[in-house]
Amino acid sequence: MIDYYKILGVKPNASQAEIKSAYRKLARQQHPDLNKKSTASGREFALLSKAYHTLSDPQERVYYDQEFQAQKSRSYSILDSNNPHAKRARNLAVQAKWDRLVDEVLERDRRENRERQRAVFTTVSLFLSTFFVAMIRPQLWQVFNPLGRAIVLALFVIAVWHLATRLREYFAHYTYRPKPIQDSIIREQEAPEQPFSRFSAYTFLLVGYALSVGIGLYIGWHTQDFFNDVTMLFRHRVAVVQSSMFAYTWTTLLVPDLVVYPPIAVLIVDTVHGIASRID
């Protein structure tokens, strides 16, 4: 059984902070990108990652300590001998363990990449749909019949729930809340594992949404003749609606569109992306 404490260079009674500090120091030295992506450095980094993830989880650490102590107290095994067959068995066992460790690290990286792609698809589809709605100003609500409006409202409710769930998941995974000033003064503040602060994430969403609306309105204003020609395709619907819309400005009509349609677009894009990912 591999001694994870020895790999990290810490004592068996090391604290979580000591384990985390040792892992970060060794990870910077043994990362494959800094060692020309050699096979040996890849295996060392995989074993280092496995040791850290095992010892950083309290339950996994307790189980590992029990198994490690139980193995140390076992009687002599044939695998401890210098017999050629015993050596070959040990080499095969070590090789199999290395392969499992590498597979676990690669699978963890694949899961992280999939989660990152989901976050990118959700954010980009939100901004792009907002941009197109602001640019085209479709006014579809006035064109739909009662059944169509009911379908749009049902999709809107589902889409808002979907978008809120996704954003809450992404905030929990990729952002952190800064600690109070008192804690940062009294205790040594460690670098958070998440890459972004909660404030920067909120700022990114708000600024991105505002830019999408602003750029869409600007381009739509300069191309309004083209989109007016497009609306001629359903002139008979528009003519009926214009009499009831006469007292309203186009800005007033645009606000509900910006609220209703972008979440629905996010729901559709995420659903298609999820189906494509399962097929792959």
Side-chain angles (χ1 to χ4, degrees):
M1 192 171 186
I2 301 176
D3 189 349
Y4 289 156
Y5 293 102
K6 184 177 180 180
I7 292 174
L8 291 173
V10 297
K11 297 180 180 179
N13 60 349
S15 64
Q16 291 293 330
E18 292 174 340
I19 292 174
K20 189 174 184 179
S21 177
Y23 167 73
R24 289 182 173 178
K25 180 179 178 181
L26 293 174
R28 287 193 293 267
Q29 299 174 357
Q30 300 179 9
H31 198 280
D33 293 341
L34 302 178
N35 294 277
K36 299 181 180 180
K37 298 184 179 180
S38 64
T39 304
S41 63
R43 290 183 174 180
E44 291 177 0
F45 184 75
L47 183 58
L48 180 66
S49 299
K50 179 63 176 178
Y52 170 69
H53 286 290
T54 299
L55 298 182
S56 61
D57 188 325
Q59 294 182 351
E60 290 287 337
R61 184 176 181 180
V62 170
Y63 177 77
Y64 169 78
D65 290 341
Q66 292 175 351
E67 291 293 317
F68 190 72
Q69 293 298 328
Q71 184 182 17
K72 289 176 64 176
S73 60
R74 287 175 190 156
S75 58
Y76 175 81
S77 171
I78 188 173
L79 294 178
D80 297 325
S81 70
N82 292 324
N83 185 283
H85 297 288
K87 289 183 177 180
R88 184 172 181 273
R90 286 198 298 270
N91 292 334
L92 291 175
V94 171
Q95 182 64 38
K97 183 166 292 187
W98 275 113
D99 293 339
R100 286 197 301 271
L101 291 174
V102 172
D103 291 340
E104 289 178 4
V105 172
L106 293 178
E107 179 61 27
R108 191 180 301 115
D109 290 340
R110 281 193 290 266
R111 286 198 301 267
E112 183 64 26
N113 288 333
R114 285 195 296 267
E115 291 297 324
R116 192 178 298 111
Q117 287 179 0
R118 287 177 59 201
V120 170
F121 268 91
T122 300
T123 307
V124 171
S125 59
L126 176 62
F127 291 160
L128 284 179
S129 59
T130 303
F131 164 76
F132 282 115
V133 169
M135 180 177 66
I136 300 174
R137 300 191 291 277
Q139 300 178 6
L140 296 177
W141 182 260
Q142 290 75 22
V143 178
F144 288 143
N145 56 27
L147 177 60
R149 294 181 179 182
I151 294 174
V152 170
L153 286 177
L155 287 175
F156 172 69
V157 172
I158 299 173
V160 169
W161 175 83
H162 169 81
L163 181 60
T165 302
R166 284 292 177 88
L167 290 179
R168 184 167 58 249
E169 176 185 342
Y170 300 150
F171 276 117
H173 188 73
Y174 294 107
T175 65
Y176 65 91
R177 294 182 182 274
K179 294 182 179 180
I181 299 177
Q182 294 85 350
D183 292 344
S184 62
I185 295 176
I186 298 174
R187 304 175 183 176
E188 181 180 358
Q189 188 173 7
E190 297 182 355
E193 295 182 359
Q194 292 86 354
F196 308 107
S197 66
R198 191 65 57 91
F199 175 78
S200 63
Y202 282 126
T203 303
F204 171 75
L205 286 177
L206 293 176
V207 172
Y209 185 84
L211 286 176
S212 300
V213 173
I215 297 174
L217 291 176
Y218 178 79
I219 296 178
W221 182 71
H222 285 280
T223 58
Q224 57 183 345
D225 294 337
F226 169 77
F227 291 115
N228 288 336
D229 293 338
V230 173
T231 58
M232 297 293 289
L233 296 175
F234 43 91
R235 178 196 293 270
H236 63 287
R237 291 296 187 112
V238 175
V240 174
V241 173
Q242 280 180 344
S243 60
S244 61
M245 291 168 41
F246 187 78
Y248 298 96
T249 63
W250 65 270
T251 305
T252 305
L253 296 173
L254 177 63
V255 172
D257 291 343
L258 290 175
V259 173
V260 173
Y261 297 124
I264 296 177
V266 172
L267 175 64
I268 295 173
V269 171
D270 283 352
T271 302
V272 173
H273 179 248
I275 295 174
S277 299
R278 291 186 178 183
I279 294 175
D280 292 339

